[in-house]
Amino acid sequence: MRVLLVGAGGVGTAITRIAARRSFLDHMIVTDYDLSRAEAAVAALGGEKARFTALRVDASDRAAVTALLAEHRCDILVNATDPRFVMPLFEAALAAGVDYLDMAMSLSSPHPERPYEECGVKLGDAQFERAAAWEKAGRLALVGVGVEPGLSDVFARYAADELFDTIEEIGVRDGANLDVDGYDFAPSFSIWTTIEECLNPPVVWEKDRGWFTTAPFSEPEVFDFPEGIGPVACVNVEHEEVLLIPRWVESRRVTFKYGLGDEFIETLRTLHKLGLDRTDKVTVPGGDVSPRDVVAACLPDPASLGELMHGKTCAGTWVKGTKDGAPREVYLYHVVDNQWSMREYGSQAVVWQTAVNPVIALELVANGAWSGAGVLGAEALDPRPFLDLLVAYGSPWGLREQ
């Protein structure tokens, strides 16, 4: 398989380190707007770097990306950029006649009059509107295949296939006990994406109501996470799983809640009050800038925090329903210890946990275990080979009866 990877930040770099250990990969073109980042990612691969090439590309330039796919005879484009670049990369892959994979879907916009009751443009709407074109082309667009969304969706499909007869609720629950030495506020993932998903109206799905929205940070609950992480306060957050899971998995309700903590929530609320979450540009001495880009530039790069981080991160899917006529409730989960991911791969836990899943999906497409045409989420495909490969990659998943 020949892969064009767009984005050589923390997740993109982790993808190269994981893929370098797998034989399915013939060659990976590693690209970034900043060529030095792509070159650094390749240089770090040592003896495996012959299968990798570093190049510069502007992810917003659809024509340039399409040409690059053709020039290097790529089979698939992997999008490891932030969600602003989903649509040009998604369209470039279709124009080039290759498959596509991303970890975050096209951006939403709130309902203009009732943002906390009704959906406006939902996450992924722009991509699903193009599903017929992908089907006609006979190409596969695998969307939302990181850890959340991605592995969480695989868990949902596995639960429906093997653990339950009927499902009342599927709730993705994410929590961690990670600390970063020397920083009062240092998000372990892209602050641009974190602001987007945390301050947008969260979406909930119910069978009798469809998709609807609530206020940010709504429905707080304390969820007890496994492997020593313990109880973490979780709140509703906008996330792709709620838009993906109901399309392929039968359930009466689907939610996503993130363990943010009170301090993190208050920081995000303050950014919103000050208008620093805005993406439209404002005029300052010297030019025009996006406030959110300024916030991102003032914070440390999450990929650089690994040596300062301690603790574990947990991604998982809680499912409630019935099996053989009896009530059942389980939590399927995946925990990564930062010390382990740094020792084994030189990548901090959150970016490694995100990156391993697209590599597994690539391997499944390469060996034919996953196939199809159109715009599909991970829950549209067989979960068992994915979960088996996750174990084979040295990072097992768990199941806890609640």
Side-chain angles (χ1 to χ4, degrees), residues 47-377:
E48 290 296 329
K49 66 182 180 181
R51 289 192 291 159
F52 296 80
T53 300
L55 294 173
R56 182 189 180 278
V57 76
D58 181 347
S60 67
D61 188 340
R62 171 183 159 179
V65 175
T66 302
L68 205 59
L69 286 163
E71 178 185 353
H72 292 276
R73 299 173 289 107
C74 295
D75 303 299
I76 190 167
L77 185 157
V78 175
N79 177 1
T81 64
D82 74 53
R84 289 174 291 182
F85 303 106
V86 163
M87 290 313 294
L89 295 175
F90 178 80
E91 294 290 357
L94 180 60
V98 306
D99 293 338
Y100 169 86
L101 184 151
D102 64 31
M103 289 156 273
M105 298 179 68
S106 60
L107 291 170
S108 64
S109 59
H111 191 280
E113 298 164 356
R114 293 166 55 84
Y116 303 137
E117 293 87 23
E118 297 182 29
C119 295
V121 176
K122 301 187 298 299
L123 291 169
D125 274 358
Q127 289 173 285
F128 281 113
E129 287 171 3
R130 298 285 284 148
W134 280 84
E135 291 172 12
K136 183 178 179 180
R139 306 310 312 184
L140 174 62
L142 274 172
V143 295
V145 189
V147 60
E148 291 171 342
L151 178 57
S152 51
D153 304 67
V154 171
F155 284 148
R157 177 60 183 269
Y158 175 77
D161 287 357
E162 302 198 25
L163 304 180
F164 289 84
D165 296 323
T166 65
I167 294 177
E168 178 181 336
E169 183 169 354
I170 297 172
V172 179
R173 299 293 184 264
D174 179 298
N177 61 358
L178 294 166
D179 289 317
V180 182
D181 294 340
Y183 288 95
D184 292 327
F185 184 75
S188 57
F189 202 70
S190 163
I191 188 61
W192 200 101
T193 303
T194 300
I195 289 173
E196 183 72 18
E197 62 190 24
C198 291
L199 292 178
N200 280 351
V203 180
V204 175
W205 185 86
E206 292 180 358
K207 187 172 184 179
D208 297 333
R209 189 174 173 184
W211 286 294
F212 62 94
T213 57
T214 69
F217 315 121
S218 59
E219 298 182 4
E221 68 175 58
V222 174
F223 192 86
D224 187 17
F225 289 92
E227 298 195 21
I229 295 174
V232 179
C234 298
V235 293
N236 279 330
V237 167
E238 182 191 46
H239 234 249
E240 287 90 343
E241 290 94 327
V242 179
L243 287 312
L244 287 168
I245 289 171
R247 297 175 189 268
W248 290 285
V249 179
E250 185 73 20
S251 174
R252 295 199 60 81
R253 194 169 196 261
V254 181
T255 59
F256 178 96
K257 293 188 180 183
Y258 199 3
L260 295 171
D262 292 340
E263 182 180 7
F264 200 106
I265 289 172
E266 285 308 310
T267 300
L268 292 174
R269 283 178 169 156
T270 300
L271 291 175
H272 180 63
K273 287 178 182 178
L274 296 174
L276 294 175
D277 60 326
R278 292 166 52 188
T279 58
D280 54 311
K281 293 185 177 182
V282 298
T283 300
V284 298
D288 296 336
V289 296
S290 158
R292 194 185 299 185
D293 287 343
V294 173
V295 172
C298 290
L299 290 171
D301 179 356
S304 70
L305 298 175
E307 297 290 350
L308 304 174
M309 285 174 60
H310 309 280
K312 299 176 181 179
T313 184
C314 178
T317 304
W318 163 75
V319 186
K320 180 181 180 180
T322 64
K323 179 67 174 177
D324 298 328
R328 191 179 194 188
E329 194 174 338
V330 304
Y331 183 57
L332 300 108
Y333 64 89
H334 182 244
V335 172
V336 177
D337 186 311
N338 188 71
Q339 287 183 293
W340 175 85
S341 64
M342 286 298 298
R343 181 177 67 250
E344 292 293 318
Y345 286 90
S347 296
Q348 55 105 318
V350 176
V351 299
W352 189 90
Q353 188 182 45
T354 303
V356 67
N357 299 287
V359 180
I360 290 172
L362 288 175
E363 184 158 346
L364 293 176
V365 172
N367 67 26
W370 275 14
S371 63
V375 179
L376 303 180

